[in-house]
Amino acid sequence: MSAGQAPTRVEQSRSVRRPRLAALDGLRLVAALAVALYHYTTFWTVDAVHTPAYFLPDATRVTIYGFLGVETFFMISGFAICLSAWGRSLGDFFVSRAARLYPAYWAAIVITLTVTTLLPIGGYVPVYDHFSLADIGVNLTMLQEPLGVHPVDNVYWTLWTEMRFYLLFALVVGRGLTYRRAVLFCAVWMTAAVVAPAIDNPVFTMITARHYAPYFIAGIAMYLMHRFGPTPLLWGIVGFSWLISLYSLGERVTLDPGWKVPLWPAALIMTAVYALLLLIALGYTDRITWRWLTVAGALTYPYYLLHQRIGYVIIRHAYEATHLPVGLLVAATMAVMLLPAWLVYRFVERPFGPRLRTALTRGLTAARTPDPTPQSTPTPHQARPPHPHQPPATPHPQTTGPTDPHRTAGPTNPHAAARTTEPSQATWTSDPHGAARTTEPSQATWTSDPHGAARTPEPSQATWTSDPDRAARTAEPAQATPTTHPDHATRTAEPDLADCPPSHRDTSTPSAVSSLVDARTWQGAGIRP
């Protein structure tokens, strides 16, 4: 397959048969342990006076590079997020990320605050200790860094970098993640990250995450290799990312632990990480299926969230109580911290992650469902009077047509009610002997009847006229105008209880009247067609 050419279905199906990548979980565990080793052996005072370099002068010159575990995390994240987002909608992508990150994160905040409050330590510790309730609330959102609020634990800064990656990658997921779109995303993001210093805009620099973009991009390209096979284009993306990341290390390796930190070991370590992740992506580690690696990989996220401040507390109190070698205390603390990480995984992530996912999925489903059509409510002038002998309500002010000389608007019958059962813009006219009414929304013209109710039974834009002896009505939507006859009623379309001659009309009940009505249209002086 040539560079840029879409993979074939055979190549697409290769990844479906691949086993779970236990080696990737193992690499994730190594990265978490490297970050913990870096924090325990640099930039804090073990006995409230001396830094770890005082106790471990040689080891700290190696462990100082443990911070590169963060860059390794970002590469793994690019690989894993591309894998998990494939074939998912934007809503599903959002739900999976929130359900994965927040339960363990909330638990870590509560545990860390509890431990550091009950067992405070003095001396220099590179953390902030004075949190208001508002600060804690902001930390629960995971947005403390862009809002300028101190994190409960310093390691949380990487979560904001991850979230920026998710927001950018959501642009592709929303359109549907494909090979071409993933490649285009890598090219555009890399270009934006490279030109960010020249643009010199803080917002643009923040969004592009220029120091860490090469690692995410390399992870995405390696996953495309894993799924579709390597191509010259993908090799080019990985190589370009590697070169840019080596350049960015020069800005990252600016630490001052009391000696000059050389750059070349960092470049060598990152090159080894690139090579190892390539081996995983190309399938050379598929034979590694150790189950314990999968479990260990699941512990890395809570381990990373809990290790720093709680680890400081354990090492300090253990050293003051036992004066054991600092190296031994560091190793023991790294092992002990696996226990709270497992507890969070077992009793927080596993039960509450799926519940949060279900709740968010229901919310998205409800948001996608169209709103039900609201039921119409009659306006006050259309309300039915409680009793036919009570004075009728004032009709709609928009009145047209003939009027009763004894009234200005509305029905004048003291024994009958005038009403509409649905909202209408009807117009009233007078009819001394017949009933007129509307039962559906219409723009019909109303007539007044001193002996009966006024209504029209169907939507219509018909105009009503008066008949001295019969009722006049329209029954179907029409533009027709009924005609009059001195002795008989005039009608169009369907029958109703006012449509037959008086001799055939039983007014005892509406049903009795309607049963005598013929369904055909008739007109004239007693002549049925």
Side-chain angles (χ1 to χ4, degrees), residues 29-55:
L29 176 63
V30 171
L33 294 175
V35 174
L37 186 62
Y38 164 75
H39 285 142
Y40 293 161
T41 58
T42 58
F43 302 112
W44 76 293
T45 54
V46 176
D47 57 356
V49 177
H50 302 95
T51 65
Y54 175 82
F55 303 96

Side-chain angles (χ1 to χ4, degrees), residues 84-85 88-103 166 170 173 352-365 368:
S84 63
R88 284 183 171 177
S89 66
L90 181 59
D92 294 336
F93 176 70
F94 161 75
V95 168
S96 67
R97 290 297 88 207
R100 174 70 177 92
L101 295 181
Y102 275 102
Y166 298 159
V173 177
F352 292 103
R355 293 179 185 178
L356 180 59
R357 181 180 293 108
T358 300
L360 292 174
T361 301
R362 289 177 179 173
L364 287 175
T365 302
R368 292 166 180 164

Side-chain angles (χ1 to χ4, degrees), residues 107-169:
I109 289 178
V110 173
I111 295 171
T112 300
L113 288 174
T114 301
V115 171
T116 55
T117 300
L118 297 177
L119 299 172
I121 58 177
Y124 174 72
V125 180
V127 293
Y128 186 79
D129 284 322
H130 307 288
F131 297 100
S132 65
L133 292 178
D135 294 336
I136 297 173
V138 171
N139 270 265
L140 292 173
T141 68
M142 210 180 288
L143 298 174
Q144 60 274 2
E145 183 162 339
L147 294 176
V149 176
H150 289 285
V152 171
D153 202 324
N154 283 357
V155 298
Y156 297 170
W157 72 268
T158 60
L159 300 178
W160 171 237
T161 304
E162 288 276 351
M163 290 185 70
R164 282 180 283 174
F165 165 53
Y166 298 159
L167 292 174
L168 292 174
F169 202 58

Side-chain angles (χ1 to χ4, degrees), residues 116-463:
T116 55
T117 300
L118 297 177
L119 299 172
I121 58 177
Y124 174 72
V125 180
V127 293
Y128 186 79
D129 284 322
H130 307 288
F131 297 100
S132 65
L133 292 178
D135 294 336
I136 297 173
V138 171
N139 270 265
L140 292 173
T141 68
M142 210 180 288
L143 298 174
Q144 60 274 2
E145 183 162 339
L147 294 176
V149 176
H150 289 285
V152 171
D153 202 324
N154 283 357
V155 298
Y156 297 170
W157 72 268
T158 60
L159 300 178
W160 171 237
T161 304
E162 288 276 351
M163 290 185 70
R164 282 180 283 174
F165 165 53
Y166 298 159
L167 292 174
L168 292 174
F169 202 58
L171 300 175
V172 182
V173 177
R175 295 289 305 276
L177 187 55
T178 63
Y179 175 85
R180 290 184 178 88
R181 287 171 181 164
V183 169
L184 182 61
F185 173 79
C186 293
V188 172
W189 191 15
M190 179 65 76
T191 302
V194 169
V195 303
I199 295 177
D200 195 21
N201 183 287
V203 176
F204 186 79
T205 301
M206 178 191 67
I207 293 175
T208 56
R210 70 180 189 88
H211 290 297
Y212 310 107
Y215 304 106
F216 291 108
I217 293 171
I220 293 173
M222 290 183 193
Y223 174 72
L224 295 177
M225 287 184 174
H226 173 75
R227 185 179 182 92
F228 301 111
T231 66
L233 176 60
L234 296 178
W235 279 112
I237 294 174
V238 172
F240 199 85
S241 301
W242 172 66
L243 293 174
I244 299 300
S245 63
L246 292 182
Y247 173 80
S248 299
L249 283 176
E251 300 181 20
R252 279 277 284 160
V253 185
T254 56
L255 310 173
D256 187 15
W259 69 89
K260 181 176 177 57
V261 180
L263 177 61
W264 67 265
L268 185 62
I269 292 172
M270 283 312 305
T271 301
V273 172
Y274 268 83
L276 183 57
L277 194 55
L278 276 171
L279 292 176
I280 295 173
L282 297 176
Y284 290 101
T285 61
D286 285 354
R287 294 183 179 180
I288 300 177
T289 57
W290 305 327
R291 181 175 177 81
W292 69 269
L293 282 179
T294 301
V295 176
L299 301 183
T300 55
Y301 179 56
Y303 185 92
Y304 177 80
L305 295 175
L306 294 169
H307 80 273
Q308 186 177 15
R309 296 194 65 179
I310 297 177
Y312 289 157
V313 171
I314 293 174
I315 294 173
R316 169 70 63 82
H317 286 284
Y319 181 78
E320 291 176 348
T322 64
H323 290 282
L324 290 173
V326 172
L328 179 61
L329 292 177
V330 168
T333 302
M334 292 176 63
V336 167
M337 287 305 300
L338 289 171
L339 177 60
W342 181 84
L343 292 175
V344 170
Y345 166 72
R346 176 62 183 83
F347 296 104
V348 177
E349 284 194 281
R350 285 182 59 182
F352 292 103
R355 293 179 185 178
L356 180 59
R357 181 180 293 108
T358 300
L360 292 174
T361 301
R362 289 177 179 173
L364 287 175
T365 302
R368 292 166 180 164
T369 303
D371 293 335
T373 303
Q375 295 182 355
S376 58
T377 303
T379 55
H381 76 278
Q382 297 165 340
R384 182 177 182 178
H387 192 276
H389 295 288
Q390 292 183 0
T394 303
H396 196 278
Q398 295 180 354
T399 60
T400 61
T403 59
D404 193 328
H406 301 290
R407 58 179 297 159
T408 56
T412 59
N413 186 4
H415 303 289
R419 68 183 184 107
T420 61
T421 59
E422 295 292 337
S424 169
Q425 295 184 357
T427 306
W428 290 65
T429 62
S430 59
D431 180 2
H433 302 288
R437 66 167 191 167
T438 61
T439 59
E440 296 293 337
S442 75
Q443 295 184 359
T445 305
W446 289 68
T447 63
S448 61
D449 182 2
H451 302 289
R455 54 177 279 193
T456 60
E458 294 294 337
S460 171
Q461 294 187 1
T463 304

Side-chain angles (χ1 to χ4, degrees), residues 470 488 496-497 499-507 512-518 522 526 528:
R470 304 289 186 268
H488 299 282
D496 198 21
L497 72 140
D499 290 328
C500 58
S503 60
H504 293 77
R505 180 166 47 184
D506 180 5
T507 58
V513 174
S514 60
S515 65
L516 299 175
V517 180
D518 187 77
W522 59 281
R528 297 179 180 269

